[in-house]
Amino acid sequence: MTSFSLDPRDDLPLYAQLARQLREAVTAGRWPAGRPLPSVRTLVGLLKVNPQTVLRAYRELEEEGLVEPRQGQGTFVRTEAVEAAAEARRRELLEDIERLARQARDLGVPEEVIVQAVRKEKGES
Amino acid sequence: MTSFSLDPRDDLPLYAQLARQLREAVTAGRWPAGRPLPSVRTLVGLLKVNPQTVLRAYRELEEEGLVEPRQGQGTFVRTEAVEAAAEARRRELLEDIERLARQARDLGVPEEVIVQAVRKEKGES
Amino acid sequence: MTSFSLDPRDDLPLYAQLARQLREAVTAGRWPAGRPLPSVRTLVGLLKVNPQTVLRAYRELEEEGLVEPRQGQGTFVRTEAVEAAAEARRRELLEDIERLARQARDLGVPEEVIVQAVRKEKGES
Amino acid sequence: MTSFSLDPRDDLPLYAQLARQLREAVTAGRWPAGRPLPSVRTLVGLLKVNPQTVLRAYRELEEEGLVEPRQGQGTFVRTEAVEAAAEARRRELLEDIERLARQARDLGVPEEVIVQAVRKEKGES
DNA sequence: GTGGTCTAGACCACG
DNA sequence: GTGGTCTAGACCACC
């Protein structure tokens, strides 16, 4: 149900793109605790990249404490960490939005136009 | 009146940090057409960086058409390009804000909290 | 009376954790010669691990000569091997302590503080 | 003045062996802040290993906050972090010694023999 | 089957 | 010169 896509032309390294997508999937609550994430080999096959690239993405998540690998079984979500990560992400997003909004205002964008942008997606779900 | 600061630990390369700060200064209307931007030598002295770093930042701005070097006189703002650049920046900011707002909503942040963030800085200018 | 606990996140593989705990139990004189160690099936049930994991731990102990399986009866401690194993373990512990103490001293820990640590547990047994 | 040695037969992966040695050198105060650590290529030449192996060791130290790489310049010690790391290491060593001492005592080693081991190296400096 | 390590070597971006 | 990324593929340990 969850799909991944990598773009070699992106500024972000492939492993970081993959890590980001995995992080979002995990944070959003897909991949319940009992089911392992897709195996390294599976992703290698799907994404046509080197095992190292996938491994590095998984290592990233592991270092963040989001996920734990178990020898011979696969990589599993550490549910305790998920909500904390989501909360951190929310704070970070709000700060970023604040900062960008300030920049936009400084460049003369009327506040209501910015608010409009924030509300824009509302009707599209 | 305009100062620059570089952080070697930032993800952005030094030259890009500098280019960004110069770009913002120019876009915001500092450095009127008659006054040259600081010389490479000056910035090298101020920022304690490699001349290549400063040169590359200036080259960036030049390629964007924002500034033009004049032999023996220094580097000057191309006023006709400033408004176009500012407009492009505004569009970019609004798109970024939209994208981040969507992500925040997906993580369960109520829309009004996001709008709040956008309005937050109102009284602080 | 003897319980085992495995931590999948530990650096040590599960089978090694189990082997270590069994080894310590045997060396410490629990499991007298007449009583068999818990069966593979029992441990699998208790620890919720793969039978291979338990088998490998038992194989380890067997190869060290500490225990011997008897067809249809279970796995028994080889009492004559226990004292030799304990002695080896003692030597190993002293070497480790020596090594760590040297490292601590190199980092500036006063020798008396280290001695203190060694004596610390005295009254707690 | 500082030399490194890797043993492929060791249980520890090569990158971890190297990371440990670098960590100790940094913690012990060699490699003052102004001088970069040996470059990846230098160590590759010295140790006859793959660049990836060296890189992974350096990445480890970076993630611990001990060291920071600067593009095009080399890898530098973060002096602020060194003392904190040394203190953490001291605590860890004392805990390990305590634990091992307890085990030794449980196996019947007289406390004075353990204390002797701790003091053993005294006259060798 | 799973994840983990290592090699040999190319290519890029930065200063 | 520096560090960073990626590839293609081998080998190992664990469950």
Side-chain angles (χ1 to χ4, degrees), chain D residues 26-42:
Chain D
V26 166
T27 310
R30 294 188 286 277
W31 307 112
R35 183 154 47 105
L37 292 162
S39 82
V40 173
R41 284 161 178 79
T42 302

Side-chain angles (χ1 to χ4, degrees), chain C residues 36 62 68-76:
Chain C
E62 190 188 340
E68 59 181 353
R70 296 189 203 144
Q71 276 297 353
Q73 302 185 56
T75 300
F76 293 82

Side-chain angles (χ1 to χ4, degrees), chain B residues 17-108:
Chain B
Q17 293 181 44
L18 179 54
R20 184 166 46 72
Q21 293 181 36
L22 287 165
R23 198 181 295 113
E24 283 176 8
V26 166
T27 311
R30 289 181 300 268
W31 307 113
R35 181 150 51 102
L37 275 74
S39 76
V40 172
R41 196 168 304 176
T42 302
L43 284 179
V44 166
L46 277 176
L47 301 170
K48 317 279 188 189
V49 293
N50 192 303
Q52 297 287 351
T53 305
V54 178
L55 274 168
R56 175 136 185 207
Y58 271 24
R59 181 150 42 89
E60 198 112 312
L61 294 203
E62 192 188 339
E63 279 164 4
E64 293 168 10
L66 265 177
V67 303
E68 58 183 351
R70 296 189 203 145
Q71 276 297 353
Q73 303 184 57
T75 299
F76 294 82
V77 174
R78 298 186 55 211
T79 41
E80 68 281 18
V82 167
E83 177 46 32
E87 181 53 26
R89 180 73 181 133
R90 282 184 215 110
R91 257 201 311 277
E92 193 189 349
L93 281 168
L94 284 173
E95 276 171 23
D96 287 351
I97 289 170
E98 236 177 88
R99 188 171 42 78
L100 296 183
R102 180 169 52 245
Q103 288 181 28
R105 249 189 277 100
D106 288 350
L107 278 173

Side-chain angles (χ1 to χ4, degrees), chain C residues 24 27 86 89-90 93-94 96-98 100-105 107-109 111-115 117-122, chain D residues 24 27 86 89-90 93-94 96-98 100-105 107-109 111-115 117-122:
Chain C
E24 283 176 8
T27 311
R89 179 73 181 133
R90 282 184 215 112
L93 281 168
L94 284 172
D96 286 352
I97 289 171
E98 235 177 272
L100 296 183
R102 181 169 51 244
Q103 287 181 29
R105 249 189 277 101
L107 277 174
V109 180
E111 189 168 284
E112 284 314 314
V113 171
I114 309 176
V115 171
V118 165
R119 293 206 159 108
K120 189 172 190 178
E121 304 282 335
K122 199 171 188 177
Chain D
E24 283 176 7
T27 310
R89 180 75 181 130
R90 279 184 217 113
L93 281 168
L94 284 173
D96 286 353
I97 289 172
E98 235 177 272
L100 296 183
R102 181 168 51 243
Q103 287 181 30
R105 247 187 283 99
L107 277 174
V109 181
E111 188 168 283
E112 285 314 315
V113 171
I114 309 177
V115 170
V118 164
R119 293 206 159 107
K120 188 173 190 180
E121 304 281 334
K122 199 173 188 177

Side-chain angles (χ1 to χ4, degrees), chain C residues 55-74:
Chain C
L55 274 169
R56 174 134 185 210
Y58 271 23
R59 181 151 42 88
E60 197 111 311
L61 295 204
E62 190 188 340
E63 278 164 4
E64 294 168 10
L66 266 177
V67 303
E68 59 181 353
R70 296 189 203 144
Q71 276 297 353
Q73 302 185 56

Side-chain angles (χ1 to χ4, degrees), chain A residues 89-90 93 96-98 100-105 107 109 111-112 114-115 117-122, chain B residues 27 89-90 93 96-98 100-105 107 109 111-112 114 117-121:
Chain A
R89 179 76 181 130
R90 279 184 217 114
L93 281 167
D96 286 353
I97 289 170
E98 234 178 272
L100 296 183
R102 181 169 51 243
Q103 287 181 30
R105 249 189 281 99
L107 277 173
V109 180
E111 187 167 284
E112 286 313 315
I114 310 178
V115 170
V118 163
R119 294 207 159 106
K120 188 172 191 180
E121 304 281 335
K122 198 172 188 177
Chain B
T27 311
R89 180 73 181 133
R90 282 184 215 110
L93 281 168
D96 287 351
I97 289 170
E98 236 177 88
L100 296 183
R102 180 169 52 245
Q103 288 181 28
R105 249 189 277 100
L107 278 173
V109 180
E111 188 168 283
E112 285 313 314
I114 310 177
V118 164
R119 293 206 160 108
K120 188 171 193 180
E121 305 282 335

Side-chain angles (χ1 to χ4, degrees), chain C residues 31-91:
Chain C
W31 307 113
R35 181 150 53 103
L37 276 74
S39 76
V40 172
R41 196 169 303 177
T42 302
L43 283 179
V44 165
L46 276 176
L47 301 169
K48 317 279 190 190
V49 292
N50 192 303
Q52 296 286 350
T53 305
V54 177
L55 274 169
R56 174 134 185 210
Y58 271 23
R59 181 151 42 88
E60 197 111 311
L61 295 204
E62 190 188 340
E63 278 164 4
E64 294 168 10
L66 266 177
V67 303
E68 59 181 353
R70 296 189 203 144
Q71 276 297 353
Q73 302 185 56
T75 300
F76 293 82
V77 174
R78 298 186 55 214
T79 40
E80 68 280 20
V82 166
E83 178 46 31
E87 181 52 27
R89 179 73 181 133
R90 282 184 215 112
R91 256 200 313 276

